[in-house]
Amino acid sequence: MKITNGDELLNLENNEFIGEVPKLTNSQININGKNNTLVCEENVVLWNSRIDFNGDNSVLYLSSNNFDYALNISINGNNACFIGKNNYFNGMSSIILSESQNVIIGEDCIFSYNISIRVADAHLIYHTKTKERLNYSKSIFIGDHVWLGQGSMILKGTHIGSGSIIGANSVLSNKHVPSNTTFAGSPARLTKEDTFWLGYSVHPWSELTTIKYSQYDSENFVYEIDDNTLDFEDIDSDINKFAKPDEIVKYFESTFLEAGKNRFSLK
């Protein structure tokens, strides 16, 4: 089923739509399976986007956003993808979910141009002697207020804590990125600790504005581990226990939407 008008989501067969009808601007949603659930909060606009449900029993949760979503998402069966509020897409980002793995993205992130997020290598790699598979797919977690630089690739098993910065053209696979750190390179490595970032663009700044922001005395974007911090591995395990998509939706709502600032902190 090809959907190019949001109102068509109200007449799905063998699949479910929950929430507010999104606005589709030069965008389409293709559903080629059954028992899938799409959740859209209010203020969801898909711009030049494509969402493909290529299998069964998957959940895509799109939170309310002050900005347009610019996404190509491929969901291939038994996957869960949660995208939090008010993420800024400065160009098209690609997300591919495979082999029953999941993608969780927090809120207030910046996705620069040509971001790629993939939980799988797609093809199989084996050890020549043991004949055992080496490259199992793994879920990806990106916390709140994360800046992904242009051309960065976030690959299987990567966990990025809130407040972090990923440099342009970085490649991260099975990486553990603590909160308030900067990683860059291919493969990416730690380049700075104890960093945070602001979303202002410096392009039009005068010398006076530069001087004004030479220091920013705030703890708003400094993240710590506290009693409300969630464990990424536990989240993944919890999601995979659920047999029905509506159970996953309820889990997202009860777990993520009620958690505090440090929900996705990582050390």
Side-chain angles (χ1 to χ4, degrees):
M1 182 178 185
K2 179 180 177 180
I3 296 168
T4 57
N5 185 314
D7 289 333
E8 297 175 274
L9 291 167
L10 301 175
N11 300 307
L12 295 181
E13 295 182 3
N14 302 316
N15 296 279
E16 185 176 15
F17 171 73
I18 299 173
E20 300 291 328
V21 172
K23 181 179 179 181
L24 275 57
T25 302
N26 193 32
S27 298
Q28 65 185 60
I29 300 169
N30 301 308
I31 304 178
N32 301 303
K34 61 183 184 298
N35 202 34
N36 298 292
T37 299
L38 172 63
V39 181
C40 293
E41 295 183 351
E42 62 182 0
N43 300 323
V44 171
V45 178
L46 295 171
W47 177 81
N48 286 345
S49 296
R50 175 168 174 156
I51 296 172
D52 292 321
F53 287 92
N54 296 319
D56 306 330
N57 307 312
S58 292
V59 173
L60 173 60
Y61 193 112
L62 300 179
S63 300
S64 178
N65 205 324
N66 292 331
F67 313 101
D68 294 351
Y69 283 92
L71 290 171
N72 284 329
I73 304 181
S74 177
I75 306 172
N76 290 296
N78 298 296
N79 307 118
C81 181
F82 175 89
I83 303 178
K85 297 180 186 298
N86 299 330
N87 293 297
Y88 179 69
F89 298 90
N90 194 20
M92 190 60 57
S93 293
S94 171
I95 302 175
I96 302 177
L97 296 98
S98 314
E99 202 172 7
S100 303
Q101 300 303 302
N102 310 306
V103 171
I104 306 298
I105 298 172
E107 62 185 38
D108 189 38
C109 298
I110 285 182
F111 292 75
S112 188
Y113 298 95
N114 301 321
I115 305 300
S116 181
I117 299 171
R118 302 175 59 121
V119 302
D121 295 333
H123 307 295
L124 306 178
I125 300 174
Y126 292 87
H127 193 283
T128 58
K129 294 182 173 59
T130 66
K131 314 305 181 188
E132 294 181 349
R133 184 180 172 187
L134 301 176
N135 66 333
Y136 286 98
S137 304
K138 297 179 183 178
S139 298
I140 291 171
F141 294 84
I142 299 172
D144 298 317
H145 195 69
V146 172
W147 177 8
L148 301 179
Q150 181 174 342
S152 56
M153 298 185 68
I154 313 301
L155 305 179
K156 64 181 190 296
T158 295
H159 295 177
I160 303 175
S162 296
S164 296
I165 302 166
I166 306 302
N169 295 315
S170 296
V171 178
L172 290 79
S173 179
N174 283 300
K175 285 290 185 180
H176 177 99
V177 179
S179 291
N180 296 116
T181 60
T182 300
F183 273 62
S186 178
R189 60 181 180 83
L190 175 67
T191 58
K192 288 185 180 180
E193 296 180 297
D194 299 319
T195 57
F196 70 89
W197 61 276
L198 302 180
Y200 303 122
S201 172
V202 302
H203 294 318
W205 280 15
S206 66
E207 183 179 357
L208 289 177
T209 309
T210 298
I211 293 172
K212 176 182 176 181
Y213 283 95
S214 61
Q215 183 168 341
Y216 191 80
D217 190 12
S218 172
E219 295 291 315
N220 289 346
F221 304 114
V222 178
Y223 296 88
E224 304 288 344
I225 301 294
D226 63 19
D227 291 341
N228 294 316
T229 301
L230 304 171
D231 183 276
F232 289 163
E233 296 291 352
D234 288 346
I235 293 171
D236 207 36
S237 178
D238 289 343
I239 291 172
N240 293 333
K241 289 176 183 176
F242 296 120
K244 299 178 180 179
D246 63 334
E247 294 175 327
I248 296 175
V249 173
K250 291 177 182 176
Y251 175 80
F252 284 162
E253 292 173 343
S254 63
T255 305
F256 299 157
L257 304 188
E258 299 300 324
K261 168 189 173 183
N262 292 312
R263 60 180 183 167
F264 296 138
S265 294
L266 192 61
K267 295 301 179 185

